[in-house]
Amino acid sequence: MGETGASWPGQEPVLLRRIRLLSVIEALREAGPTPLTVLATQTGLSRPIIQSLADELVEMGWLSALTPEELGASGRTVGRPARRFRFHAEAGLVAGLDIGAHAVTGLVTDLDGAVRGRARLSISPATAPAERLDLAHAALTEACAAAGTEPTRLWQLGVASTGVIDHDGRVMLSVALPGWTGVDIAGTFAAKVGCPVIVENDGRAAALAEQWRGMGRGVEDMVYVHAGLRTGTGIIVGGRMLRGHSGAAGEIGALPAAGWAEAPMHLLHFPGIEPDARPEQIAEFVFSRARAGDEGALAATQRYIRALSGGIAALVLTFDPELVVVGGGISRSADLFLGQLVAELERVCVRMPKVVASPLDAEWVALGAVRVALDAVQQRYFSATAPDPLARPGQIPV
Amino acid sequence: MGETGASWPGQEPVLLRRIRLLSVIEALREAGPTPLTVLATQTGLSRPIIQSLADELVEMGWLSALTPEELGASGRTVGRPARRFRFHAEAGLVAGLDIGAHAVTGLVTDLDGAVRGRARLSISPATAPAERLDLAHAALTEACAAAGTEPTRLWQLGVASTGVIDHDGRVMLSVALPGWTGVDIAGTFAAKVGCPVIVENDGRAAALAEQWRGMGRGVEDMVYVHAGLRTGTGIIVGGRMLRGHSGAAGEIGALPAAGWAEAPMHLLHFPGIEPDARPEQIAEFVFSRARAGDEGALAATQRYIRALSGGIAALVLTFDPELVVVGGGISRSADLFLGQLVAELERVCVRMPKVVASPLDAEWVALGAVRVALDAVQQRYFSATAPDPLARPGQIPV
């Protein structure tokens, strides 16, 4: 072969060391607190090397050794228990912020996504942009306080908003909120917090939550439809979010033939809807009447689903997904319409995907914004391709 | 650090050696014939290591040293010229086969995609499946003969066909050819040739040709529309072909609202079209009349483009591509309709991509099938993640 260990270029052992450090963190994040001997088996590394890697990671602040109390609760062996390590998820905190039409929601989580603080403030669709941004910051501050921190100490902020968002975190186009087009969300928050800010469309954020904690777990190809008064999408291709060349992917709702602009009219114009009702209240009202046997409400529901299914069929034919998830305000009434939606899709689709409703709650979009933040953190600290993965202790901005 | 070269697990130097061998091949395939000293600079490896890698690759059959004649033609130095090596692209041959409605086309190329043989046989859309497959094999055999080989000695066969093709190379659905649904294209050819067979939809194959040798070079996000009597698509997302969960992605033409089923009717029903005319002949006929000022032909062209633009707008809104390429039979008359298509898209699209016509020729789909074959060869022999990259000399099936 003509090669020995001595011919390695100088930087390769450093890179190798980092990859090994990363693999220890990855194994611990997957398996939870684990003794070193098990880690050695999992990673295929020798016990002394694992020991040295773990010690270095503890010193860097990325791992904690379990306390005697923690060990006592889990260990059942007689005598001195084996040392166990766990990923130090509370080394940093991130936040997700959902700036919606009717509410702003903030969630603060640790690096494993465990929620440490939350806040939700009501708001009107008519609220001016500057006030909406201020209220969003207030919700963020409140969620941080509940987590025992403040916005300036976060590692990363993810923001979700209605509208087409460009790669710089600016609203390229919004038809749902007055004056929202052109608002520089990323710039506004970058000036208020001490960390990087990423802004994502709310439909895509909800789809990320679905992929992370909902029906989309383990699904490579998913079409997520966020159906409310505006219908949004989040499309996962090969496990990754489709964003497009300028961030405007997934806007099939802008096509008149898709039927999505017209769809909510069938619900909005139902007699008895209060003018300031929220989308989910409107849908709930019509659906509950339909469930009670009101023929007008049943017909309105059917017209709504027929209109919605046009755009969904276009997405199914285009992406051939494994799974379609219906989320947004209407998904809790899925029992009422899922059958009809499947029938409408079966009429035109070449191959039928599974069609299910999202198990979402009111924090789904904010949770997706947390996922955006955690993905950025993952990329920055835990990826072998990052410029400086696993920054040394002094650089961990705790 | 606690680590020395001696602590490397046994297989890592072997993997490293392979990665280095692959990097030498990659550098040579990119740069063409190159002296070893230049290769050493490009790869960052020492001269003796490069020498040893090159010698091993020559022995394996992957590289050739340039002959004195070849050197004499290119070298200008006085005295003994520096040794130069080149990738041995003729180490293996692959073929691409386009099984169309009106013709079957075979192309045989070397590992760099240089065409060594070609054949084209005319056929009728009414031809029965068994005869169509036999004629396709005849075209393949003829193209192989022109390249001085035979189908059983190919390394890989790529086949392109109309219809929705599943992952096993079987026609899931075809509305263009009678009896074509259910035909096992991959199985049929696997029994006739001695190499792996991959089958791809013809629209996607044309898109691959576009990405390889057309307008799509260097484009990460592209929507390619293959417009003829049937309108197909090939969609590139992040540099990769969108195939979908079962291979049925890109079938938006099946949606009535997309307008693609209706579109060709505007051309087909134009007075004076001969019943057995080919799609490109029909389009050419109507377009030439339109160009000559025939108002009926102009109106038919406009109705055709309006119908086509519905589905293209849906794809642009969905994917936010950098580039839309119009290929297929009509692309040579792009001067006549590109302006109208852009105007139709501008009415509904959130962000406008560049819209251009393909420079395709009659072998475009077959060329895309070659690309499919070459990608498979790349994956099998030249990828570090292959089970056995760079099979040893005895295993090179020359």
Side-chain angles (χ1 to χ4, degrees):
Chain A
M1 298 285 286
E3 282 178 65
T4 68
S7 74
W8 291 89
Q11 66 270 43
E12 276 178 328
V14 174
L15 181 62
L16 182 75
R17 178 81 182 175
R18 282 192 178 176
I19 289 172
R20 286 176 172 180
L21 289 167
L22 288 173
S23 73
V24 170
I25 287 183
E26 201 182 315
L28 275 178
R29 292 186 80 172
E30 248 173 50
T34 309
L36 287 181
T37 44
V38 178
L39 268 184
T41 314
Q42 277 182 344
T43 56
L45 296 169
S46 73
R47 173 69 202 254
I49 288 180
I50 279 286
Q51 179 71 62
S52 128
L53 293 168
D55 289 343
E56 186 172 345
L57 287 168
V58 168
E59 199 180 303
M60 290 169 104
W62 292 114
L63 296 195
S64 318
L66 261 61
T67 62
E69 293 76 37
E70 289 172 320
L71 275 175
S74 65
R76 292 176 191 283
T77 52
V78 182
R80 186 162 158 272
R83 279 179 83 193
R84 282 169 184 255
F85 292 87
R86 65 178 185 84
F87 174 64
H88 190 208
E90 59 276 40
L93 295 173
V94 305
L97 193 52
D98 166 18
I99 310 184
H102 294 87
V104 288
T105 308
L107 280 181
V108 173
T109 78
D110 68 19
L111 299 182
D112 279 344
V115 176
R116 301 301 182 107
R118 46 168 47 94
R120 187 178 180 88
L121 301 173
S122 282
I123 193 171
S124 151
T127 305
E131 196 186 339
R132 188 175 301 276
L133 292 167
D134 282 347
L135 278 168
H137 187 249
L140 176 65
T141 306
E142 200 181 316
C144 283
T149 188
E150 46 199 53
T152 52
R153 300 188 58 197
L154 294 169
W155 279 21
Q156 175 77 46
L157 174 62
V159 184
S161 158
T162 179
V164 182
I165 313 292
D166 69 18
H167 291 313
D168 296 330
R170 198 183 287 266
V171 182
M172 210 191 296
L173 178 73
S174 166
V175 295
L177 297 179
W180 201 238
T181 298
V183 169
D184 180 5
I185 300 179
T188 303
F189 280 94
K192 290 173 193 269
V193 298
C195 67
V197 180
I198 298 180
V199 187
E200 181 59 285
N201 165 271
D202 56 356
R204 278 190 218 150
L208 288 171
E210 200 67 44
Q211 186 188 32
W212 186 23
R213 302 230 166 132
M215 303 300 290
R217 273 174 279 195
V219 175
E220 286 286 293
D221 300 294
M222 173 178 81
V223 166
Y224 173 87
V225 178
H226 200 62
L229 283 197
R230 289 262 308 152
T231 306
T233 66
I235 295 155
I236 307 285
V237 176
R240 301 176 65 133
M241 178 62 64
L242 178 78
R243 293 202 162 85
H245 185 60
S246 66
E251 291 295 321
I252 197 168
L255 193 72
W260 287 3
E262 156 217 339
M265 301 304 157
H266 298 302
L267 303 180
L268 273 174
H269 296 159
F270 192 76
I273 300 289
E274 287 177 25
D276 209 31
R278 295 185 182 195
E280 60 270 27
Q281 292 171 327
I282 295 171
E284 204 45 65
F285 178 79
V286 180
F287 292 164
S288 68
R289 289 291 182 87
R291 211 174 265 112
D294 180 321
E295 297 215 350
L298 262 172
T301 301
Q302 283 168 8
R303 281 194 298 272
Y304 172 71
I305 294 303
R306 193 168 310 126
L308 203 65
S309 69
I312 298 179
L315 293 174
V316 169
L317 284 163
T318 301
F319 289 99
D320 179 24
E322 184 179 350
L323 179 71
V324 171
V325 183
V326 180
I330 68 163
S331 60
R332 240 173 266 109
S333 300
D335 60 303
L336 206 63
F337 63 77
L338 222 50
Q340 187 198 341
L341 176 59
V342 167
E344 300 273 359
L345 294 179
E346 273 173 348
R347 282 198 305 117
V348 289
C349 291
V350 172
R351 194 196 62 83
M352 273 301 288
K354 233 173 91 180
V355 182
V356 300
S358 168
L360 56 76
D361 57 33
E363 286 178 347
W364 215 234
V365 172
L367 191 69
V370 166
R371 189 63 258 171
V372 168
L374 288 176
D375 285 348
V377 165
Q378 179 69 27
Q379 208 46 44
R380 197 176 319 130
Y381 293 108
F382 305 116
S383 157
T385 58
D388 189 18
L390 298 176
R392 284 172 299 279
Q395 298 174 297
I396 298 187
V398 195
Chain B
M1 298 285 286
E3 281 178 66
T4 67
S7 73
W8 291 89
Q11 67 270 42
E12 274 177 330
V14 174
L15 181 62
L16 183 75
R17 179 80 181 174
R18 283 194 175 175
I19 290 172
R20 285 175 172 179
L21 289 167
L22 288 171
S23 74
V24 170
I25 288 183
E26 200 182 314
L28 275 177
R29 292 187 80 172
E30 248 173 51
T34 310
L36 287 181
T37 44
V38 177
L39 267 185
T41 314
Q42 278 183 342
T43 56
L45 297 169
S46 72
R47 172 69 203 254
I49 287 181
I50 280 285
Q51 179 70 63
S52 127
L53 293 167
D55 287 344
E56 186 172 345
L57 287 168
V58 168
E59 200 179 302
M60 290 170 105
W62 292 115
L63 296 195
S64 318
L66 261 60
T67 61
E69 294 76 37
E70 290 172 318
L71 274 176
S74 65
R76 292 177 191 284
T77 51
V78 181
R80 186 163 159 274
R83 283 180 80 194
R84 280 169 185 256
F85 293 87
R86 64 178 185 84
F87 174 63
H88 190 208
E90 59 276 39
L93 295 173
V94 305
L97 192 52
D98 166 19
I99 310 183
H102 294 86
V104 287
T105 309
L107 280 182
V108 174
T109 79
D110 67 17
L111 299 183
D112 279 343
V115 176
R116 301 301 181 107
R118 45 168 48 94
R120 186 177 180 90
L121 301 173
S122 283
I123 193 171
S124 150
T127 304
E131 196 186 339
R132 187 175 301 276
L133 291 166
D134 281 348
L135 277 169
H137 186 248
L140 176 66
T141 307
E142 199 181 318
C144 283
T149 187
E150 47 200 50
T152 53
R153 299 188 59 199
L154 293 170
W155 279 21
Q156 175 77 45
L157 173 62
V159 183
S161 159
T162 179
V164 181
I165 313 292
D166 69 18
H167 291 312
D168 297 330
R170 196 182 288 265
V171 182
M172 210 191 296
L173 178 73
S174 166
V175 294
L177 297 178
W180 201 238
T181 299
V183 168
D184 180 5
I185 300 178
T188 303
F189 280 94
K192 291 173 192 271
V193 298
C195 67
V197 180
I198 299 180
V199 187
E200 182 59 285
N201 164 272
D202 55 357
R204 278 190 218 150
L208 288 171
E210 200 67 44
Q211 186 187 32
W212 186 23
R213 303 232 167 131
M215 304 300 290
R217 274 173 279 194
V219 175
E220 286 287 293
D221 300 294
M222 173 177 81
V223 166
Y224 173 87
V225 178
H226 200 62
L229 282 196
R230 289 261 310 152
T231 307
T233 66
I235 295 155
I236 308 284
V237 176
R240 301 177 65 134
M241 178 62 63
L242 179 77
R243 292 200 162 86
H245 184 60
S246 67
E251 290 297 320
I252 196 168
L255 193 72
W260 286 4
E262 156 217 339
M265 300 305 157
H266 299 301
L267 303 180
L268 273 174
H269 295 160
F270 192 75
I273 301 289
E274 286 177 26
D276 210 30
R278 295 184 182 193
E280 59 269 26
Q281 292 170 327
I282 295 171
E284 204 45 64
F285 178 80
V286 181
F287 293 164
S288 68
R289 289 293 182 88
R291 213 174 264 114
D294 180 321
E295 296 215 349
L298 262 172
T301 301
Q302 283 168 8
R303 280 194 300 269
Y304 171 71
I305 294 304
R306 194 168 308 128
L308 203 65
S309 69
I312 298 179
L315 294 175
V316 169
L317 283 163
T318 301
F319 289 99
D320 179 24
E322 184 178 351
L323 180 71
V324 170
V325 183
V326 180
I330 68 163
S331 61
R332 241 172 267 108
S333 300
D335 59 304
L336 206 64
F337 62 76
L338 222 50
Q340 187 197 341
L341 176 59
V342 167
E344 301 272 359
L345 294 180
E346 274 173 346
R347 281 199 307 115
V348 289
C349 290
V350 172
R351 194 195 62 84
M352 273 300 289
K354 233 172 90 180
V355 182
V356 299
S358 168
L360 58 76
D361 58 31
E363 286 177 348
W364 215 235
V365 172
L367 191 68
V370 167
R371 189 62 258 172
V372 168
L374 288 176
D375 286 347
V377 165
Q378 179 69 27
Q379 208 46 46
R380 198 176 319 129
Y381 293 108
F382 304 115
S383 157
T385 59
D388 190 18
L390 298 175
R392 283 172 300 278
Q395 300 174 294
I396 298 188
V398 197

